[in-house]
Amino acid sequence: MTSLEAEIGAIIAREGPISIARYMELCLGHPAHGYYTTRDPFGARGDFVTAPEISQMFGELIGLWAATVWQKMDAPGAVHLVELGPGRGTLMADALRAATIVPAFRAALHVHLVETSPLLRQRQRDTLASFDVPLAWYRDLADVPQGTALFMANEFFDALPVHQAVKAPDGWHERMVAWDGDRLAFAVHPAPLSDLAPALPHELQAAPSGALFEWRSDAVAREMSRRVVRAGGAALIIDYGHAESALGETLQAVSGHGFADPLERPGELDVTAHVDFGALARVALSEGARVHGPVPQGWFLHRLGIAERAAKLKSGATAAQAEAIDAALARLTQGGRTGMGELFKVMAFAHPALGDLPGFDR
Ligand code: SAH
């Protein structure tokens, strides 16, 4: 039994079954035993590989995206560049390096990193130490100073706790994690939920008995939308998920690049769920932001010129390096089982005055 499993067992003995969201939050963020608190999971030898870890092209193109949006904002002399869940800091490093080709943008930047894991904060500090730019860290988006801002979040929302509810004849019941004598097990709360309706789009309210619906707190998406509408700017969200809200379960655990039971070895596996881009869009629109996309990641990266960037990198490369660049390009942009190009989606929330944004044009 993992230390966290024992602790969750004690919480359930004391308070009764806990929500899936509370369980997920403990698994990922527990101050002593959480998955992100205790390890750096990225890379070939870790549990999974993210886009910025596959190739420098990803962060570079996002850095140029940010510079272009800044120009559309009339090039303010100071702008916050805020990243949520920066991992190893690779995306930010590649973005800052690419941004040097727009010196006035590079000079305007104040970088803010929102990260809960002390271990990953240190990793980010090491990655970004050589950049001459003001850097600051926060646990929560709410603590980032107000002002004109560009936000970026790659594989951040999938790590935010998700709730699940199951439809029964008397309404939706929250799915819980209980203790069944010798192990953790799923259970259903006996009383129907009274307040699911705001999260559940109208067309899904008549779901049949047995249907499952997942939702997250809308706090982060709401805060980002309010900020871009109030002070100007845009937020770029990249993650795996579905373009429209839908029924069904996507909660998953990943360990050593394969899938596992999310109730197994809590704290030692990455527990995530797909991002509901339909839900994000509803929040952003309700705050008065303009929503761009979602578009598939492959589409977005091609519109930003990833093929040209790959050709440029290959022109000065050895045969082995050129092969690696082609493999990274395929992985980032193609569909299918191994590609990130279709499952991953890109969405932006922006101040409505900004007009069209790069990467989203049809
Ligand atoms: N963006 C990085 C890492 C993605 S993994 C990449 O693409 O490689 C998720 C990241 O979000 C990790 O850095 C994790 O520690 C952080 N994280 C998870 N939950 C968080 C929360 N509630 N607040 C802030 N950071 C969080």
Side-chain angles (χ1 to χ4, degrees):
M1 189 185 292
T2 65
S3 317
L4 187 57
E5 190 169 2
E7 191 163 330
I8 292 173
I11 293 173
I12 295 173
R14 211 165 53 231
E15 302 172 20
I18 58 173
S19 68
I20 306 273
R22 174 106 186 266
Y23 173 75
M24 199 168 151
E25 197 167 4
L26 288 165
C27 285
L28 297 181
H30 185 282
H33 310 303
Y35 180 76
Y36 285 115
T37 326
T38 54
R39 76 202 69 209
D40 171 345
F42 313 105
R45 273 180 316 238
D47 286 328
F48 55 92
V49 183
T50 57
E53 302 299 335
I54 290 174
S55 167
Q56 67 186 74
M57 296 185 288
F58 187 80
E60 289 170 349
L61 291 172
I62 289 178
L64 297 179
W65 181 90
T68 309
V69 177
W70 172 80
Q71 281 160 342
K72 281 179 160 285
M73 290 156 64
D74 294 330
V79 64
H80 298 313
L81 183 63
V82 186
E83 185 176 0
L84 296 102
R88 289 178 169 173
T90 309
L91 192 164
M92 184 60 82
D94 292 335
L96 290 175
R97 200 162 21 73
T100 52
I101 68 167
V102 187
F105 172 60
R106 184 66 180 70
L109 291 177
H110 290 249
V111 171
H112 304 272
L113 301 133
V114 180
E115 174 61 66
T116 39
S117 161
L119 186 143
L120 290 174
R121 277 185 183 202
Q122 189 51 50
R123 187 77 212 239
Q124 293 153 20
R125 229 172 241 123
D126 296 342
T127 307
L128 298 171
S130 61
F131 287 91
D132 175 26
V133 64
L135 295 165
W137 276 264
Y138 312 83
R139 286 189 61 84
D140 205 307
L141 174 60
D143 301 326
V144 174
Q146 299 289 332
T148 305
L150 291 163
F151 298 91
M152 325 186 281
N154 186 61
E155 290 209 44
F156 169 77
F157 279 90
D158 69 73
L160 295 185
V162 72
H163 293 267
Q164 290 184 339
V166 181
K167 183 77 180 286
D170 64 344
W172 292 93
H173 293 248
E174 184 151 13
R175 201 161 177 233
M176 314 292 285
V177 176
W179 188 258
D180 83 349
D182 59 356
R183 54 162 300 170
L184 296 170
F186 289 114
V188 170
H189 197 286
L193 283 161
S194 51
D195 57 356
L196 180 59
L200 192 68
H202 188 73
E203 64 277 15
L204 299 181
Q205 287 182 14
S209 224
L212 193 145
F213 182 67
E214 291 177 339
W215 77 101
R216 290 183 164 86
S217 159
D218 64 12
V220 177
R222 195 167 293 287
E223 176 72 17
M224 285 199 310
S225 310
R226 280 191 184 151
R227 285 178 180 235
V228 300
V229 170
R230 198 188 301 137
L236 188 69
I237 297 166
I238 307 170
D239 224 310
Y240 49 95
H242 33 281
E244 305 281 350
S245 298
L247 298 171
E249 169 164 46
T250 69
L251 184 74
Q252 64 182 38
V254 168
S255 170
H257 299 267
F259 290 109
D261 175 353
L263 297 187
E264 215 176 87
R265 293 186 286 132
E268 292 182 4
L269 307 183
D270 183 35
V271 183
T272 66
H274 283 207
V275 171
D276 178 351
F277 283 93
L280 293 179
R282 287 193 295 279
V283 172
L285 291 171
S286 76
E287 293 295 336
R290 175 160 167 206
V291 173
H292 303 259
V295 296
Q297 175 173 299
W299 162 299
F300 182 76
L301 294 176
H302 274 298
R303 272 169 184 64
L304 296 187
I306 193 166
E308 293 77 0
R309 181 67 186 131
K312 179 91 195 302
L313 286 172
K314 275 164 66 178
S315 68
T318 64
Q321 285 168 335
E323 208 173 297
I325 293 163
D326 280 336
L329 175 65
R331 181 104 187 261
L332 291 173
T333 60
Q334 287 181 2
R337 210 175 50 80
T338 52
M340 301 172 85
E342 275 170 15
L343 175 61
F344 280 71
K345 313 275 188 300
V346 186
M347 176 178 262
F349 309 158
H351 191 285
L354 284 184
D356 294 341
L357 298 184
F360 295 98
D361 44 315
R362 292 273 161 187

